[in-house]
Structure formats: structure tokens, C-alpha cells
Amino acid sequence: MLTEVVGAGGVRLSLRVAGAANASAIVLVHGWAQSSLAWSAQLADQDLTRRYRLVAVDLRGHGGSDVPALGYDDPRAWAEDLAAVLDFAGNGAPVVLVGWSYGGLVITDYLRVHGTTNVAGVVLTGAITEIGRNRPGGRIGPAMRAALPAALSDDPGEAVPALTALCSGMSARPVDGPLTQSLLGTSLSVPPAVRAALFRRDVDSSVVLSGLDVPALVIHGTDDQVVDLSASEYAAGKIAGARTRWMPGTGHLPFVEAAAEFNSALSQFAGERFAH
């Protein structure tokens, strides 16, 4: 089901919703230049949708959401956007937050402003939690380094080859050609100005991570070429009691490349959190 909520500054945010309306909710936050479609394998999973309400958001400037001129470098804008999603998803009850790639940074924006209000637990998968020069929680891999700065260009002659290579490099396991094309199409649908604006930030999340007072699960593919494994090691080291799950032979898309394993881990973590 498609629906929408209103975020910071009146920005309309598009949502994909699956599962039981009255069940405990899992909110899925995608990465840079992608959309809620990234979570298709979770939204279609029979066990997850039987047990939980899944809500996947299109971040501002992405997918079916509005494309405002401002807000991409403002932690409070991201925090208020996500707060609107949590209000809708949880109906006042805490949710499990799942962030992939840049989605991890958006989650830290929320935590920085709201703390763990309405949060039962956090799952970071191939995620950054910081951004800026020499920020350990934002360390990227060779595929992303090779794509920059061309992937931010408004010249298609520069952007298209860079984004094509980046999308091809997201998976360490063989995946079908249509998936790579889908990832590329989604990236190209995000305006160049938005793709660039998301990089114009300098964020230290050490205090946010060390102050996290709900359980966290950190998942990362050991062959991720987009976000370096050390970014997740840093986050896990800062979060008291964080669990880790390193997935051998998996790249930047563990929820696609090893969907059954990922979904099982997510279902187990959510079940533990909602049992409390």
C-alpha cells in the first residue's frame, strides 16, 4: 500500500506499507540516491508481514516524495521527517528503526534531536552514522570513492557512467541484471542537486552512538565496496552492548543478496524488542 505523511516544512513523504495494520512496526530507511523499493524483499516476506507492520519511507528528494530546495544539510529537518514517519507507523508505540547506508545517518539525526522517543531498537545495515572528512563512522569503500565526484554531476556524460559502476558494485554476489538497472534508474531519478546536497555535511555522531539506550544490531557485508566495514565496526564499538552480524561474501545489499538470512535476523531482533 502506498500512502504519505507530512514532514519538516510541509514536505510530503511517500511511504510503502505492508503487513498487519495493528502489529508492532518496523520502519525501513533507505540509502543515498535510492528509495523504498530497496526494501522489496522485506515488504514481500511472508513471515515479516505476518508478524509486523513494515513501513518504508522515501526520503525527501527521493522516490515519490517531494523534492524541496532545502533541508538536506539540516539534521533537524531529517529528524522531523523521520519523526512524522514514526508517528504514523507506531501509532504512539515504539518501533524498530532499520537504516541502510545513508539511512543510518538519518537515524542518528533523529536520535540527536529526539533521543530514543518511540524507538524500541535500531538496526544498522551497511550504514554510515557520520559524514565528513576523516569521520570514522562515514568511511566509504572503493566503489563509492571511484564514483565521486562524478556521480554528483548534473552532466549525464559524467553522472551516468559513475552511477552505473556504483550500482553494479553494490553486490558481491551474482544478482540479476534488472536489479542493477533498477538501482541505476532510481539513482538517476534523484535530482543531481539532491545527490550533491546530501554530501555537503560534516557530522560527528560519537556522542549520539555512545548514548544510545536501546538495543542495536549492526549488520554489514564483509565484501561491501560502498561503505567500508570499519564504519560499522566503529558504530558497534560506540554503542553499548551492540550485537554484530558480519555476512561473508555479501556486499552493500545484504537484505537483497542474502534476503532470507537478513529477514530472519531482523524478525528475531524485532521479536525480542517487542516482547519487552
Side-chain angles (χ1 to χ4, degrees), residues 75-266:
R76 184 166 289 277
W78 290 115
E80 298 310 324
D81 283 355
L82 196 50
V85 178
L86 266 62
D87 287 345
F88 167 84
N91 292 316
V95 311
V96 166
L97 266 175
V98 183
W100 167 51
S101 201
Y102 202 96
L105 185 62
V106 174
I107 288 175
T108 62
D109 287 332
Y110 175 87
L111 296 172
R112 186 173 287 107
V113 174
H114 294 286
T116 50
T117 302
N118 293 332
V119 178
V122 174
V123 180
L124 301 172
T125 180
I128 62 169
T129 53
E130 301 184 318
I131 195 168
R133 186 177 297 277
N134 297 322
R135 297 290 185 198
R139 193 167 291 127
I140 59 176
M144 180 59 87
R145 285 196 299 272
L148 297 175
L152 313 180
S153 176
D154 57 6
D155 179 353
E158 294 184 12
V160 173
L163 288 168
T164 300
L166 176 62
C167 291
S168 296
M170 284 190 184
S171 174
R173 301 185 181 186
V175 294
D176 56 17
L179 172 62
T180 298
Q181 293 188 46
S182 176
L183 293 167
L184 175 61
T186 302
S187 293
L188 289 170
S189 73
V190 178
V194 174
R195 297 200 303 264
L198 268 65
F199 275 89
R200 288 196 290 270
R201 304 183 66 190
D202 187 5
V203 178
D204 179 337
S205 293
S206 57
V207 173
V208 172
L209 296 172
S210 61
L212 187 62
D213 58 0
V214 296
L217 172 63
V218 181
I219 301 173
H220 208 110
T222 60
D223 293 346
D224 192 335
Q225 301 296 298
V226 178
V227 173
D228 195 85
L229 176 62
S230 65
S232 282
E233 292 174 332
Y234 170 81
K238 287 289 183 182
I239 301 170
R243 300 184 210 169
T244 59
R245 192 180 187 109
W246 309 143
M247 298 178 67
T250 301
H252 195 51
L253 303 167
F255 48 89
V256 177
E257 298 170 81
E261 180 182 353
F262 179 90
N263 291 353
S264 176
L266 175 57

